[in-house]
Amino acid sequence: MRRATFTEMNCSVAQSLEIVGEWWTLLIVRDALLGVTRFDEFSTRLGIARNVLTQRLDTLVEHGVLAKEPYQDKPVRYDYRLTDKGRDLWTVIAALRQWGDKWAAEDGAPVITTHRTCGHTMTVEPVCSECGEPLTRGSLRVHPGPGARGNPLPRHH
């Protein structure tokens, strides 16, 4: 059950949580990024109740994160494939996994990702898309964007 709604909040983080903020949703996306496409495989891998899985998949399809493609006629069964919108969640999942490896995995990282080209362990490192300089919270300045309403920024930014 949804504890809150952020539909009226003019914030991209809040609006993203409307789509992917429910329990299980990012784990479904994680598995889709790993190549899982079938309902039964999501169900088995996650141990999620079928009705909850159905709701989460429907929401992801409704919001264009997954596309539902039939692979069988009688009975009709579907593959759930990531769209470009869904594949763009890769950096979110990778950063969340990396944070979890550091702060929540007491026995160490359950999964290590390596870069195919160089073979080294991969970490998510934010850099400026223009100059390539590493980004930190202190190196950024926040300005109202084209969708800003009222005063979207705290007093001291």
Side-chain angles (χ1 to χ4, degrees), residues 39-40 43 48-55 77:
F39 183 95
D40 287 339
S43 178
I48 184 174
R50 295 177 76 80
N51 64 322
V52 173
L53 178 57
T54 298
Q55 291 170 354
R77 293 183 191 248

Side-chain angles (χ1 to χ4, degrees), residues 32-125:
L33 286 163
L34 293 172
V36 175
T37 62
R38 305 262 165 104
F39 183 95
D40 287 339
E41 192 174 0
F42 283 116
S43 178
T44 300
R45 284 179 54 88
L46 296 171
I48 184 174
R50 295 177 76 80
N51 64 322
V52 173
L53 178 57
T54 298
Q55 291 170 354
R56 299 301 180 269
L57 289 170
D58 287 349
T59 296
L60 290 168
V61 169
E62 175 187 340
H63 289 281
V65 174
L66 294 174
K68 197 171 169 179
E69 301 171 1
Y71 70 86
Q72 178 180 309
D73 288 332
K74 294 180 185 180
V76 177
R77 293 183 191 248
Y78 297 94
D79 276 326
Y80 293 88
R81 300 202 180 273
L82 288 165
T83 62
D84 289 342
K85 187 176 185 177
R87 284 186 291 277
D88 276 354
L89 285 166
W90 179 83
T91 52
V92 174
I93 299 288
L96 191 58
R97 178 197 49 78
Q98 186 173 308
W99 183 89
D101 289 348
K102 181 175 182 177
W103 298 105
E106 293 179 13
D107 296 328
V111 173
I112 303 293
T113 54
T114 56
H115 185 221
R116 285 188 175 150
T117 302
C118 70
H120 288 93
T121 299
M122 181 283 305
T123 57
V124 175
E125 299 293 336

